């Protein structure tokens, strides 16, 4: 018996929303391998397989120690046959053959490059790949007609694939705050998404906006967007109006996982020098025409009515797997439906003005944002 090989874990609950999953954990080598396979499954539109790998990775992220041998995994939930095989391979050989083959495959590389273009999903990328288009430059030379989002995506490709830093997120937050307060005094703005979970970088910056007087938030997004546009902060934006039908019994029950808030998917123009009024982010962007003093940053804005704020906050803080697990827990363990708008116990709408109350309704221990990095 080798000492120190037994994990001190007695039992680990099977839903990610029952566990604390910090950003930094002890099993990165294993979770990186599983994440590649998850990504590959998602790019091949094999959602079920993607979720299985993500669940296995999330389980490993929540363990208090590094896994050194497969025998330590006995009795742990969420580890399917395929994931276990990959984990054992990495533990024994340092690498997994399947992961290596995947990362080096032309299809995986091309699908990653093409879906890395803002506005391009797996379906479109796959169609292009089968036409022999493997890179954004192949695409530009192909003569394909692109939509407005995709044109912006190609135009700012390199920058949008550069991680957004925390100082950049803070600088964007100050701009959005100015916009929001200029068009609706008293409105409140909260940083959501990965940065709220404590991530130091992100692929975008996400904000949730609301107003304590229910109803005042209606139609807010177009005003915020006009203000930002007039000040020259937007390189691209697509705003969607809200589509919820509210009744006396509470917000409409979700027809799907997609939520119905007013929202804006945008690309900001962020100054990186001191000439603008923003914080200096100390970063110089190299372009074909040489360095310039601003960069493009993806920003998502969501507006919610005050009464739905806690649900929107919980639903937009992520991680995506954590959200999925919350909804799965609600349905399978509590016979409830959870969305970014509401929680229903069969027909009954359960009110909540904080995330803590929602966890309590669901019979779950409260998990703070920094531990939702499943
Ligand atoms: P990253 O650092 O890569 O941006 P993130 O966790 O912030 O990581 P996002 O894609 O920005 O990822 O999404 C943030 C959260 O918002 C997710 O947890 C997701 O549940 C939610 N979300 C994103 N897009 C939608 C959408 N179209 N409808 C509903 N919720 C969404
Ligand atoms: Mn984000
Ligand atoms: Mn986002």
């Amino acid at each position: 018996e080798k000492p120190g090989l037994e994990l001190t874990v007695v039992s680990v609950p099977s839903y990610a929303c029952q566990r604390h999953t910090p950003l930094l954990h002890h099993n990165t080598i294993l979770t990186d391998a599983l994440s590649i396979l998850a990504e590959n499954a998602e790019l091949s539109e094999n959602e079920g397989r993607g979720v299985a790998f993500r669940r296995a990775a999330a389980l490993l992220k929540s363990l208090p120690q590094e896994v050194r041998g497969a025998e330590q995994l006995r009795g742990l939930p969420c580890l399917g046959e395929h994931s276990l095989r990959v984990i054992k391979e990495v533990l024994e050989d340092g690498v997994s053959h399947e992961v290596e083959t995947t990362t080096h495959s032309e299809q995986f590389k091309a699908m990653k490059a093409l879906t890395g273009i803002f506005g391009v999903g797996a379906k479109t990328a796959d169609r292009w790949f089968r036409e022999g288009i493997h890179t954004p430059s192949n695409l530009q030379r192909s003569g394909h007609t692109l939509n407005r989002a995709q044109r912006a995506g190609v135009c700012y490709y390199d920058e949008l694939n550069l991680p957004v830093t925390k100082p950049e997120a803070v600088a964007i937050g100050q701009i959005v705050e100015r916009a929001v307060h200029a068009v609706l005094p008293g409105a409140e703005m909260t940083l959501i998404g990965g940065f709220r979970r404590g991530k130091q970088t992100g692929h975008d910056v996400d904000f949730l906006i609301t107003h304590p007087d229910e109803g005042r938030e209606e139609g807010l997004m177009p005003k915020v967007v006009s203000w930002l546009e007039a000040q020259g902060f937007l390189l691209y934006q697509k705003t969607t109006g809200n589509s919820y039908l509210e009744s006396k019994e509470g917000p409409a029950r979700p027809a799907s996982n997609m939520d119905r808030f007013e929202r804006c998917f945008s690309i900001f123009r962020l100054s990186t020098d001191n000439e603008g009024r923003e914080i200096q982010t100390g970063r110089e962007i190299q372009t074909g025409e040489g360095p310039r003093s601003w960069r493009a940053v993806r920003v998502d804005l969501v507006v919610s009515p005050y009464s739905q704020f806690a649900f929107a906050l919980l639903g937009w803080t992520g991680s995506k797997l954590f959200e999925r697990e919350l909804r799965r827990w609600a349905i399978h363990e509590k016979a409830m439906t959870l969305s970014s708008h509401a929680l229903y116990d069969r027909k009954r709408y359960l009110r909540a003005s904080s995330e803590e109350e929602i966890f309590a309704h669901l019979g779950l221990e409260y998990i703070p944002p920094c531990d939702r990095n499943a």
Side-chain angles (χ1 to χ4, degrees):
E1 174 116 340
K2 285 176 267 175
L5 270 183
E6 277 310 304
L7 269 188
T8 47
V9 188
V10 182
S11 78
V12 179
S14 68
Y15 288 84
C17 55
Q18 296 173 288
R19 307 188 296 248
H20 291 257
T21 314
L23 194 58
L24 298 174
H25 60 88
H26 312 278
N27 290 291
T28 320
I29 295 165
L30 298 175
T31 57
D32 284 352
L34 292 169
S35 299
I36 302 247
L37 300 183
E39 205 175 355
N40 189 47
E42 286 155 4
L43 289 173
S44 318
E45 294 190 80
N46 193 337
E47 203 193 348
R49 211 169 137 103
V51 173
F53 286 129
R54 297 255 177 237
R55 276 204 197 114
L59 182 280
L60 297 173
K61 290 179 192 175
S62 76
L63 297 179
Q65 280 169 255
E66 186 187 344
V67 174
R68 300 248 173 90
E71 66 281 2
Q72 294 175 305
L73 300 170
R74 227 173 288 133
L76 292 180
C78 308
L79 303 174
E81 195 194 323
H82 197 157
S83 295
L84 269 176
R85 195 172 353 117
V86 173
I87 293 168
K88 282 181 188 153
E89 232 187 312
V90 175
L91 288 174
E92 283 161 23
D93 310 336
V95 285
S96 141
H97 180 70
E98 189 182 358
V99 172
E100 291 299 292
T101 312
T102 304
T103 35
H104 292 109
S105 96
E106 234 11 81
Q107 178 157 6
F108 180 70
K109 284 192 278 186
M111 288 296 287
K112 264 193 80 121
L114 295 175
T115 54
I117 304 170
F118 174 64
V120 178
K123 269 202 182 65
T124 308
D126 183 60
R127 183 158 35 84
W128 288 340
F129 173 73
R130 284 188 280 107
E131 289 172 24
I133 297 167
H134 291 197
T135 63
S137 36
N138 289 164
L139 177 63
Q140 273 179 304
R141 266 177 273 134
S142 72
H144 271 291
T145 312
L146 304 180
N147 64 32
R148 202 165 59 86
Q150 294 163 346
R151 287 201 300 274
V154 169
C155 181
Y156 303 112
Y157 184 77
D158 292 332
E159 286 158 74
L160 294 184
N161 282 292
L162 207 61
V164 183
T165 64
K166 186 76 209 225
E168 286 169 339
V170 170
I172 298 275
Q174 293 179 341
I175 298 168
V176 175
E177 191 150 32
R178 266 199 277 149
V180 167
H181 289 159
V183 302
L184 182 63
E188 293 167 7
M189 190 199 82
T190 311
L191 183 64
I192 48 174
F195 285 108
R196 182 162 184 254
R197 301 196 307 275
K199 280 178 70 177
Q200 290 303 305
T201 60
H203 99 281
D204 68 357
V205 197
D206 310 281
F207 296 99
L208 176 60
I209 305 161
T210 189
H211 193 286
D213 300 333
E214 185 100 357
R216 294 286 299 278
E217 83 293 341
E218 261 175 62
L220 178 57
M221 194 68 86
K223 291 182 202 150
V224 170
V225 169
S226 300
W227 190 94
L228 290 167
E229 230 153 24
Q231 305 272 324
F233 284 124
L234 292 183
L235 298 166
Y236 168 91
Q237 62 86 14
K238 185 173 164 47
T239 304
T240 322
N242 78 53
S243 60
Y244 34 79
L245 305 154
E246 221 166 319
S247 67
K248 279 197 276 315
E249 291 77 47
R253 279 209 274 176
S256 72
N257 283 340
M258 276 303 282
D259 69 51
R260 301 142 182 247
F261 293 120
E262 254 185 64
R263 72 171 70 157
C264 176
F265 298 119
S266 73
I267 302 176
F268 265 58
R269 179 192 189 282
L270 178 68
S271 290
T272 50
D273 63 16
N274 271 331
E275 286 162 43
R277 277 169 293 177
E278 300 90 79
I279 286 180
Q280 212 233 5
T281 53
R283 202 168 205 189
E284 207 168 68
I285 297 298
Q286 297 295 329
T287 66
E289 293 85 49
R292 63 164 144 74
S293 61
W294 57 270
R295 71 161 291 194
V297 180
R298 274 273 298 113
V299 176
D300 287 340
L301 306 174
V302 188
V303 171
S304 94
Y306 205 64
S307 60
Q308 298 175 26
F309 179 77
F311 297 101
L313 185 62
L314 180 59
W316 282 81
T317 295
S319 68
K320 286 197 178 85
L321 184 74
F322 191 90
E323 304 295 339
R324 179 186 270 275
E325 292 282 277
L326 272 175
R327 290 192 298 265
R328 194 166 70 95
W329 166 271
I331 295 172
H332 292 294
E333 306 298 327
K334 298 282 153 182
M336 294 180 181
T337 2
L338 173 70
S339 74
S340 297
H341 297 280
L343 177 63
Y344 277 92
D345 183 356
R346 294 190 180 78
K347 288 244 141 50
R348 194 164 59 97
Y349 168 52
L350 300 177
R351 247 162 235 293
S353 56
S354 68
E355 289 180 319
E356 283 85 345
E357 285 175 61
I358 304 173
F359 280 89
H361 283 317
L362 288 168
L364 289 168
E365 177 203 340
Y366 175 69
I367 309 288
C370 65
D371 283 335
R372 296 181 204 158
N373 287 293

